[in-house]
Amino acid sequence: MPKVGAVTPADPSPSTTPAEGPRPPSEDTVRPRRRLRAWLGEAPSRHSPPFSRYRWVRLLIYLVLAWAALAIALAGAVDVSETYGLAYPVALLTTSLQAATAVLAVRRPLPAWAVSLTAATVTALLARPHLESLTSSGPDWPWSTPVLLAHMAVLLLVALRVRPAGTVTAVAVTALVTYVLAAGLATGHYSGTGTVAIGLFAVVAAVGGILRSRQQARSELVQQTTITAEERARRTLLEERSRIARELHDVVAHHMSVISIQAQVAPHLVQEPSEELLENLAGIRGNALEALTELRRVLGVLRSENTDDPYGLGDPGTGAAPDAPQPTLDRLDALIENTRAAGLDVTASIAGEVRPYAQGVELSAYRIVQEALSNALRHAPGSRVGVEIGHVPNGLRLSVRNSPPRRPVPPSPGAGHGLLGMRERAAMLGGHVTAGTTADGGFSVTAFLPGDGSPAPPNQPPTGDQNP
């Protein structure tokens, strides 16, 4: 038992429990830090000026800055020591500090500017007593040549890395300090460099700001171009899926209508059907009609006002579900004849035992061959095309190969829906499509569609020949 009046230690709070360790900073704390670093120019991208995406260019920039800083430190020390009458170690210290800021500005532009301006002010104040002892025109003051060059380099890096408001502030403070030195503390004989220095600082800051704005504009353009390309690809995919859905509408609607009719006719095929049978058949017919109504309502959103489509294909994103029956493999002969009439030398071959497939499989097979022939007609005029249809035990193999074009290829206004549509149709059925150029410069499209039309399970390759 604790003694009366003894102070018992308080239970450690959850925030101070050693086992938990230090908590990460909250988002409210991180955001101001990021904004401050961005305003100070300490968190640019690796492509921000004066950097480059090429490593050798960045190394070259660092090397040039290091040599310039070394030259300013050594040559500037001699110049400051002789013109201002300072001891060489003192002059070397001030110019070395000034030169180091040019290197520091690559990573810490605003702190480097503050150190550079402070070193330049100290140098001018140390030289001020020497100016009073001169009887004739003296040296450049308050900005000597090496100090002026170093501060110009720092301001250029500030303008390249810091936002315009920060650059304007740096130039304004530099001009104010220069005015105080030249107008309020001037004495003795010297050649005034305040006005020239302020003008050079403004020009350097303007050049850096223009280069920074140009780099930002280019980065934003690249980003916008990337976003536009992604949106275009996404829109193309959605349009192609809508097109496929419009075509499959007739297939699904046909089967639902058959179910409804069979459920309606079935009671008449049985003598004295029971009440339970009649009730179940009525439920089946009602559900089929309701599903058909909902299907038409949903697919109606995908329809458009333009129903003109002589091939029953529909333009991507604009055509409606065609009124004619959806094509099957029986209509491939007519499709090939039409392609021959358009100027292509088309040969067709069939391997395996012909058998019926699900209507969705035959529709997808027809559309894949149709799109492959359209691509050959559009991109390989005058070429020879071979169409192969293989009936394998577990599915259907398709192959369309064309030779190189024999005539100049005219510009194509296509929107890139062809190959995308083929892959979407095959993936919907659990198959796959492979397309690419051949060794002789032609083009080949091969596809495999499972015979039953049922999609393959996720993360499982479709059955059948993987290299049709």
Side-chain angles (χ1 to χ4, degrees), residues 128 130-134 136 138 185-190:
R128 186 169 175 269
H130 177 69
L131 301 178
E132 297 177 354
S133 62
L134 298 177
S136 58
L185 300 177
T187 183
H189 296 83
Y190 62 92

Side-chain angles (χ1 to χ4, degrees), residues 19-20 28 32 42 83 115 118 131 189 203 252 261 278 297 314 359 452:
E20 293 185 0
D28 295 337
E42 297 179 4
T83 56
V115 174
T118 301
L131 301 178
H189 296 83
V203 170
V252 179
I261 294 172
L278 292 176
R297 183 179 294 117
Q359 194 168 357
D452 56 359

